[in-house]
Amino acid sequence: MNRSLSARVLDLVSRLLMRVTAQLLGDQRAAWACAMQAEMQAAGNEREALSFAWGCFRAATGLVLTETFVGLSQVHQAGLWACSIAVLMGCAFMHSAGAPGHYAVMNLLSLAWALATFRLLPLRRLQADELLRARLSFALGAVLLVASLGQASTGATAWLRVGPVHVNLLWLLLPALLVASDVRSLPTARPWALVGLLMACVALALQADALLAGWVSAVLSVRACTSRSGAVALLAGAAGATALHFGHAWQVPQALPFVDRVLQGGFEQGLSIGLALLLLQMLPLWPALRHRQARLHGLVWGLLVVASLPGWLPSPLVGFGGSFIVGYLLSLALLPGEAAKQPCASPAPAAPRSLRDPPSWPRSGLT
């Protein structure tokens, strides 16, 4: 007898969760994944199998979180905690408020994917090597430009379909590009970073995205003031001109429940829920409040949060959408180290003191 459609959907979700669980556990724990798979197949019905698969996924996610946080720098730990708490509590809000079931599942899968990818990145080298970060910003700008050229020629939108999910490359890569391109102490790295930013500005012009062009202009203007860079100021002006040129045709997108204006939706359900969501919206700024090298990261995501409040952009991390979740951790991984942001010369070794030298008296104002 053929199974019902709901049973097939439950079975498909269970298998998907187990596949993601196996990826999270990795090759070292492949035996665990096989045992979990056999236990799920031995379940009495599809609902029991789904419940077991969900428990395995939660356990694997907790294990990845524990292993990811151990041995990381303080700024990375702060960012990972901020992102994880915001996403998990946002999923809890969506579930309690009656959002479609796949919203929370997709956000959790995006978080798990971002955490697993974060573990594979060479974080220490990225913090220390400005040239590597500059070349990565060049590569990110090239990806955005090539994608925009393809979309402009075919008339496609900014959303790309990757398997069963849709990805917005601008939301995914632009924050990381803005963070990685902030190189100041290595002159040979600056051309790579500037060309990457230039390609990103051209991509925004091709997609006629006035809002993100204005956001890039604001970030680069602050950078130009702090670094006193004429080249960055020119790029900020170009992004601002793009925003002004396409701004007359820009319209506020139609708000979607649990995607846009999530904070307002929380206040509609209750004052306590609204205040809790307000704190969650501020969590992406936590690394910048505690660590100097994350200030640009805080500026980038702070402006995104501000733009999301009136519904101009989806609510980052707490609303439905995996592009911002992965983009947040990607930009976090490209932060420079404290030593790279504030280079200081090591003190010269003191000359050996001769036995005849007089003792060094403390300053008393007497000659």
Side-chain angles (χ1 to χ4, degrees):
M1 184 174 65
N2 294 331
R3 293 185 300 174
S4 63
L5 178 60
S6 61
R8 293 181 181 179
V9 171
L10 292 178
D11 182 62
L12 179 62
V13 174
S14 301
R15 293 178 182 276
L16 178 61
L17 285 174
M18 289 304 301
R19 183 172 298 181
V20 174
T21 300
Q23 293 294 327
L24 291 175
L25 292 176
D27 295 335
Q28 296 180 351
R29 301 183 180 90
W32 292 11
C34 291
M36 292 176 179
Q37 181 73 26
E39 188 71 20
M40 186 194 72
Q41 292 177 352
N45 53 57
E46 286 79 6
R47 291 188 179 277
E48 291 182 4
L50 178 60
S51 177
F52 181 79
W54 177 249
C56 294
F57 172 75
R58 288 171 55 189
T61 303
L63 183 63
V64 169
L65 282 172
T66 302
E67 292 183 347
T68 300
F69 283 39
V70 173
L72 294 177
S73 64
Q74 292 183 356
V75 64
H76 288 151
Q77 288 185 8
L80 286 176
W81 279 116
C83 180
S84 301
I85 293 174
V87 173
L88 293 175
M89 296 304 294
C91 290
F93 165 73
M94 287 189 288
H95 178 72
S96 63
H102 69 278
Y103 278 19
V105 173
M106 290 302 298
N107 272 20
L108 289 174
L109 292 177
S110 298
L111 177 62
W113 172 262
L115 290 173
T117 305
F118 193 87
R119 291 181 56 195
L120 302 177
L121 295 176
L123 301 177
R124 294 183 182 274
R125 185 183 174 190
L126 287 171
Q127 280 193 321
D129 194 343
E130 275 198 343
L131 183 58
L132 176 60
R133 294 198 306 274
R135 288 175 175 173
L136 284 176
S137 65
F138 177 89
L140 293 176
V143 170
L144 290 176
L145 179 58
V146 171
S148 299
L149 288 172
Q151 292 164 4
S153 61
T154 59
T157 63
W159 292 90
L160 297 179
R161 186 178 181 86
V162 181
V165 299
H166 291 81
V167 177
N168 191 309
L169 282 182
L170 292 175
W171 300 349
L172 178 68
L173 301 182
L174 260 183
L177 172 58
L178 291 173
V179 172
S181 60
D182 187 22
V183 293
R184 303 185 184 185
S185 61
L186 190 61
T188 56
R190 293 173 191 168
W192 291 93
L194 292 174
V195 174
L197 287 173
L198 178 60
M199 289 189 291
C201 292
V202 175
L204 290 173
L206 290 173
Q207 297 197 20
D209 198 321
L211 179 62
L212 290 184
W215 165 62
V216 170
S217 177
V219 173
L220 295 183
S221 298
V222 175
R223 276 182 50 182
C225 293
T226 56
S227 63
R228 298 180 180 179
S229 172
V232 176
L234 289 176
L235 289 173
T242 301
L244 291 176
H245 178 71
F246 295 106
H248 67 278
W250 182 82
Q251 296 180 352
V252 179
Q254 183 179 3
L256 299 176
F258 306 105
V259 178
D260 308 294
R261 299 170 60 87
V262 172
L263 182 61
Q264 289 83 339
F267 276 110
E268 291 174 359
Q269 296 199 12
L271 179 61
S272 59
I273 297 178
L275 292 176
L277 286 174
L278 178 61
L279 291 177
L280 290 178
Q281 291 266 256
M282 297 297 107
L283 270 182
L285 312 182
W286 179 245
L289 297 177
R290 298 196 59 184
H291 304 281
R292 293 177 57 89
Q293 70 265 40
R295 287 182 177 177
L296 177 60
H297 185 267
L299 174 66
V300 168
W301 286 96
L303 291 177
L304 284 177
V305 170
V306 170
S308 71
L309 295 180
W312 298 347
L313 285 174
S315 301
L317 305 187
V318 297
F320 172 61
S323 298
F324 277 141
I325 297 174
V326 181
Y328 183 87
L329 290 187
L330 180 59
S331 60
L332 180 71
L334 295 178
L335 283 177
E338 189 69 28
K341 290 292 290 182
Q342 295 178 338
C344 56
S346 58
R353 183 182 297 278
S354 173
L355 294 178
R356 293 186 178 183
D357 289 343
S360 55
W361 301 104
R363 294 183 179 180
S364 60
L366 301 178
T367 57

